[in-house]
């Protein structure tokens, strides 16, 4: 087997054989295939695609590159997990994991860090003093067994081929390849050992999938991969044209998530949290559980506090606050009809909430606070956005991305909100 033949096969729109896929994933993981060669293959896949058999075999090969976890014999609860394809203000994992655990499922949530304009769950949680993202498999199981939920980073032994390939895709313009997105997500989730999985596939300006057609293709591909591997899998297509909630950042989003767990918080965050919770509980066989009740009676908050403490965090500690703020006023009175998710995400990133490279640090307090959402009436001169950062020289850079981020229509203009959940794939 040689890598040039594998590249040529896909370059010429051929179908990779199972043997070619197994070999190239293994050889790349071991360093026998060079980065530039795998870059060429990834670009060929982006341009020419893969069929279902190829994607399934590619996913299986990445799973086989490392260990596979199994909770079936060590937990008395059914397991359910959720994965989001990434968005702006997408803090849903934070209230969702303890909420589903409070309803009787075990939630082994392996999460990632932000890159570019999309935020990362681990970056958000690391704004809590003392909280640890890196857990051994034994620590992960201990937290999961003791609290019902754990949110942590994937260990080095879990699908190492994907970890190496994702870093390469990020710097070679091949992140958007649907076969590679699907296999990347599903290799980690299947290797994780969850019994059921709900996918939150974002669509809109702030998502990687800009159209409903692309989002549906990605969702259908991932649902098929999960189902074929024995994981009960469903997907919700959800809107990401407008940021979720009223904050985009790290500590800002943690604070908002705690508000949701306390029974408050923005309506869109609560709505999506409950929709995903019901999907997860249904997939786990807990159809009679009522997540709305678990939010209202404080049991989800109790799980949150235990989960944070079990990972070294102090749930009562004050969250970091950025040293500098800049307020943007509404330029006119009327109805806010658009607030672009991508532009807000870029602004938060430029303020220090995100990173351009994986090794870059992030600012815990940086981000964007929104004082109105589409459909709200605003008055000229009232605060529309507040920018937060420790480095005020970043304000100008962030403001560049916000030049045409909103539309304000005359007062009395009718407005219909886009539904949060656009479609379901199962």
């Amino acid at each position: 087997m040689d890598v040039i033949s594998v590249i040529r096969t896909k370059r010429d729109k051929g179908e990779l054989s199972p043997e070619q896929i197994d070999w190239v994933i293994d050889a790349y993981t071991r360093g026998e295939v060079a980065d530039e060669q795998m870059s060429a293959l990834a670009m060929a896949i982006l341009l020419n695609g893969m069929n279902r058999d190829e994607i399934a075999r590619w996913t299986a090969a990445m799973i086989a590159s490392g260990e596979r976890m199994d909770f079936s014999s060590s937990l008395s609860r059914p397991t359910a997990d959720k994965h989001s394809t990434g968005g702006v203000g997408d803090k849903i994992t934070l209230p969702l994991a303890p909420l589903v655990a409070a309803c009787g499922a075990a939630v082994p949530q392996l999460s990632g860090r932000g890159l570019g304009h999309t935020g990362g769950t681990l970056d958000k949680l690391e704004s809590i003093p003392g909280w640890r993202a890196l857990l051994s498999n034994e620590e992960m199981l201990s937290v999961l067994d003791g609290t019902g939920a754990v949110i942590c980073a994937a260990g080095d032994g879990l699908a190492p081929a994907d970890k190496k390939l994702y870093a390469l895709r990020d710097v070679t313009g091949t992140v958007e390849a649907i076969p590679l997105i699907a296999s990347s997500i599903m290799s980690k989730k299947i290797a994780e050992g969850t019994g059921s999985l709900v996918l939150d596939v974002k669509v809109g300006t702030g998502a990687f999938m800009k159209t409903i057609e692309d989002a549906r293709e990605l969702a259908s591909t991932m649902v098929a991969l999960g189902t074929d591997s024995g994981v009960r899998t469903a997907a919700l297509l959800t809107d990401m044209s407008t940021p979720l909630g009223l904050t985009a950042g790290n500590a800002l989003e943690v604070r908002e998530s705690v508000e949701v767990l306390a029974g408050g918080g923005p309506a869109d965050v609560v709505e999506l949290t409950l929709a995903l919770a019901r999907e997860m509980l249904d997939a786990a066989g807990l159809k009679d559980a009522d997540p709305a009740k678990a939010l209202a009676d404080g049991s989800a908050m109790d799980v949150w506090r235990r989960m944070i403490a079990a990972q070294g965090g102090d749930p009562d500690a004050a969250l970091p606050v950025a040293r500098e703020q800049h307020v943007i006023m509404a330029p006119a009175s009327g109805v806010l009809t658009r607030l672009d998710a991508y532009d807000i995400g870029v602004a938060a990133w430029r303020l220090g909430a995100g990173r351009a490279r994986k090794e870059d640090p992030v600012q815990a307090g940086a981000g964007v606070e929104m004082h109105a959402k589409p459909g709200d009436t605003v008055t000229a001169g009232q605060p529309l956005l507040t920018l937060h950062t420790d480095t005020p020289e970043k304000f100008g850079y962030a403001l560049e991305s916000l030049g045409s981020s909103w539309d304000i229509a005359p007062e009395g203009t009718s407005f219909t909100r886009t539904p949060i959940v656009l479609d379901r794939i199962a």
Side-chain angles (χ1 to χ4, degrees):
M1 199 75 68
D2 69 277
V3 68
I4 302 301
S5 297
V6 177
I7 295 169
R8 284 174 175 161
T9 298
K10 187 49 64 178
R11 181 199 66 186
D12 297 337
K13 302 183 180 181
E15 177 179 346
L16 297 179
S17 70
E19 293 77 18
Q20 285 178 311
I21 291 172
D22 291 348
W23 177 83
V24 79
I25 292 293
D26 177 62
Y28 179 60
T29 306
R30 290 186 287 105
E32 183 179 336
V33 170
D35 279 348
E36 60 268 27
Q37 293 171 316
M38 185 56 90
S39 298
L41 179 57
M43 185 60 72
I45 291 170
L46 171 71
L47 297 174
N48 296 322
M50 281 179 153
N51 63 33
R52 178 169 174 171
D53 289 341
E54 288 176 289
I55 297 171
R57 190 67 177 217
W58 189 277
T59 304
M62 291 203 294
I63 294 170
S65 72
E67 61 188 353
R68 186 165 180 173
M69 302 177 71
D70 183 4
F71 299 113
S72 60
S73 61
S74 53
L75 294 174
S76 58
R77 300 177 175 207
T79 51
D81 193 6
K82 163 259 184 187
H83 180 84
S84 167
T85 57
V88 179
D90 186 12
K91 55 197 67 74
I92 301 300
T93 293
L94 278 64
L96 179 64
L99 173 59
V100 173
C103 293
V107 185
Q109 180 75 51
L110 298 182
S111 295
R113 302 188 181 280
L115 197 65
H117 78 280
T118 61
T121 297
L122 300 182
D123 296 325
K124 296 167 191 177
L125 286 168
E126 283 182 338
S127 65
I128 300 173
W131 186 86
R132 291 189 302 125
L134 297 174
L135 303 178
S136 67
N137 288 353
E138 293 73 21
E139 289 174 317
M140 179 184 176
L141 181 58
S142 175
V143 175
L144 186 58
D145 190 38
T147 70
V150 61
I151 304 173
C152 62
D156 290 338
L158 210 65
D162 175 65
K163 184 175 183 179
K164 187 175 182 181
L165 180 56
Y166 183 85
L168 183 73
R169 288 166 52 216
D170 184 58
V171 296
T172 57
T174 53
V175 169
E176 295 84 358
I178 286 178
L180 299 181
I181 294 174
S183 57
S184 173
I185 292 169
M186 296 307 295
S187 63
K188 292 191 292 285
K189 291 301 180 182
I190 295 168
E192 168 195 284
T194 187
S196 57
L197 174 65
V198 175
L199 300 160
D200 180 2
V201 180
K202 303 293 188 188
V203 56
T205 63
F208 288 115
M209 299 294 105
K210 307 299 183 186
T211 68
I212 193 77
E213 293 78 17
D214 285 346
R216 191 174 285 118
E217 180 185 350
L218 175 60
S220 298
T221 301
M222 292 193 293
V223 167
L225 287 170
T227 301
D228 290 348
S229 297
V231 179
R232 293 183 298 278
T233 308
L236 297 183
L237 274 56
T238 67
D239 180 61
M240 187 37 67
S241 297
T242 300
L244 275 166
L246 295 170
T247 58
N250 295 312
L252 291 169
E253 293 191 46
V254 173
R255 188 174 293 111
E256 194 168 78
S257 299
V258 173
E259 292 173 4
V260 172
L261 288 164
D268 57 347
V269 177
V270 174
E271 179 184 347
L272 184 53
T273 300
L274 289 173
L276 288 166
R278 293 185 180 108
E279 286 285 341
M280 291 172 68
L281 292 165
D282 183 66
L286 300 169
K287 300 178 185 295
D288 296 330
D290 184 358
K293 180 176 181 296
L295 272 185
D297 66 16
S299 56
M301 177 69 87
D302 291 341
V303 175
W304 162 265
R305 293 177 61 84
R306 293 198 304 270
M307 180 185 72
I308 295 301
Q311 293 180 235
D314 180 356
D316 295 315
L319 292 167
V321 176
R323 290 192 292 269
E324 304 287 342
Q325 287 81 39
H326 176 86
V327 180
I328 299 174
M329 304 299 185
S333 298
V335 178
L336 184 67
T337 57
R338 184 179 67 89
L339 190 60
D340 188 81
Y342 178 76
D343 292 345
I344 297 292
V346 171
W349 166 44
R350 290 178 172 182
L351 290 165
R355 54 174 62 81
R357 301 174 303 168
K358 286 195 172 184
E359 60 269 24
D360 290 345
V362 297
Q363 295 181 25
V368 178
E369 183 180 1
M370 293 154 266
H371 302 290
K373 294 286 288 289
D376 293 345
T377 299
V378 299
T379 302
Q382 80 168 62
L384 186 63
L385 303 171
T386 299
L387 312 185
H388 300 257
T389 187
D390 292 334
T391 46
E393 62 270 21
K394 293 180 180 290
F395 283 136
Y397 190 39
L399 288 168
E400 289 178 7
S401 70
L402 295 172
S404 58
S405 303
W406 57 81
D407 291 326
I408 299 175
E411 293 183 43
T413 300
S414 61
F415 178 82
T416 302
R417 286 185 172 84
T418 301
I420 294 292
V421 179
L422 304 173
D423 199 358
R424 181 179 185 274
I425 307 292

